[in-house]
Amino acid sequence: MSEALIHRFYGAIAGGDAHALDACLHSSVSFSDPIYPDLRGERARQMWRLVLAGSPLVGVRYDIAFADERKAQVRWESTVRHARRLVRTRGASTFAFWDGRIVRQVDEWDFWAWSRRARGLRGWLLGGLPAYRRRYRRRAQVALEALEALDTREALDTREALDTREGLDTREAPGPGSHTMGA
């Protein structure tokens, strides 16, 4: 069961399919890696949407080192196009499963090695510094927050469009706990 889930998960990544990837994740999912050290629930889902919408994935290879019904260990290698460079990253993921979905994922990979390949000389010179990693984490968090704001705005626009189609005006609707009396 867990091996099939891992295959679906990496197949969704390789295919850039955010919906298929989302179906692999438990509602209480948590994620951790060198850039996003602690994401939970919807923020972890948003991170995957951001990753799939970002740098074009050229390829992903993985090998399931261990898997049972509750956990798995996977070694992987991804290649993405990042600022006109092909960037290969090798890492390992540890998964925990609950109710047939991924409830926890911890990715381990070398940030400095990645920054050297992705950022060139700047990454080589600065990638090993904690301040550079913190700065990169902040930039990643800003991108994640921007995607969340966009999704929130799209949800509100959709609700307003549906309410308008139904003849409702949500801008004048009473708030929760308020009551209106007929005249």
Side-chain angles (χ1 to χ4, degrees), residues 43-62:
R43 286 187 64 87
R45 293 172 185 281
Q46 290 285 14
M47 181 276 308
W48 278 115
R49 290 181 197 117
L50 183 65
V51 167
L52 293 179
S55 300
L57 181 70
V58 175
V60 63
R61 294 185 314 161
Y62 63 97

Side-chain angles (χ1 to χ4, degrees), residues 78-113:
S78 68
T79 305
V80 298
R81 186 166 302 285
H82 184 78
R84 289 177 274 171
R85 300 175 196 256
L86 284 181
V87 179
R88 179 174 292 127
T89 306
R90 290 186 180 105
S93 294
T94 303
F95 294 93
F97 309 109
W98 188 259
D99 292 335
R101 293 189 177 186
I102 298 166
V103 72
R104 178 90 178 123
Q105 179 182 357
V106 178
D107 278 8
E108 297 172 336
W109 46 272
D110 185 341
F111 180 84
W112 190 16

Side-chain angles (χ1 to χ4, degrees), residues 52-170:
L52 293 179
S55 300
L57 181 70
V58 175
V60 63
R61 294 185 314 161
Y62 63 97
D63 178 45
I64 301 173
F66 169 81
D68 65 18
E69 292 302 311
R70 295 184 349 206
K71 59 188 175 292
Q73 178 76 35
V74 177
R75 290 182 301 271
W76 52 264
E77 180 180 292
S78 68
T79 305
V80 298
R81 186 166 302 285
H82 184 78
R84 289 177 274 171
R85 300 175 196 256
L86 284 181
V87 179
R88 179 174 292 127
T89 306
R90 290 186 180 105
S93 294
T94 303
F95 294 93
F97 309 109
W98 188 259
D99 292 335
R101 293 189 177 186
I102 298 166
V103 72
R104 178 90 178 123
Q105 179 182 357
V106 178
D107 278 8
E108 297 172 336
W109 46 272
D110 185 341
F111 180 84
W112 190 16
W114 173 85
S115 68
R116 288 190 309 259
R117 290 186 290 274
R119 308 297 291 174
L121 182 60
R122 172 181 242 160
W124 185 79
L125 292 171
L126 302 174
L129 300 175
Y132 184 77
R133 185 179 294 206
R134 282 192 303 273
R135 181 174 177 254
Y136 205 87
R137 280 181 182 164
R138 278 195 302 272
R139 288 180 56 206
Q141 289 296 328
V142 167
L144 188 57
E145 289 166 5
L147 181 64
E148 288 171 342
L150 180 64
D151 284 353
T152 300
R153 182 69 241 160
E154 287 176 358
L156 291 173
D157 289 346
T158 301
R159 178 178 172 207
E160 288 174 6
L162 291 173
D163 289 346
T164 301
R165 193 172 69 197
E166 297 291 323
L168 301 173
D169 187 355
T170 57

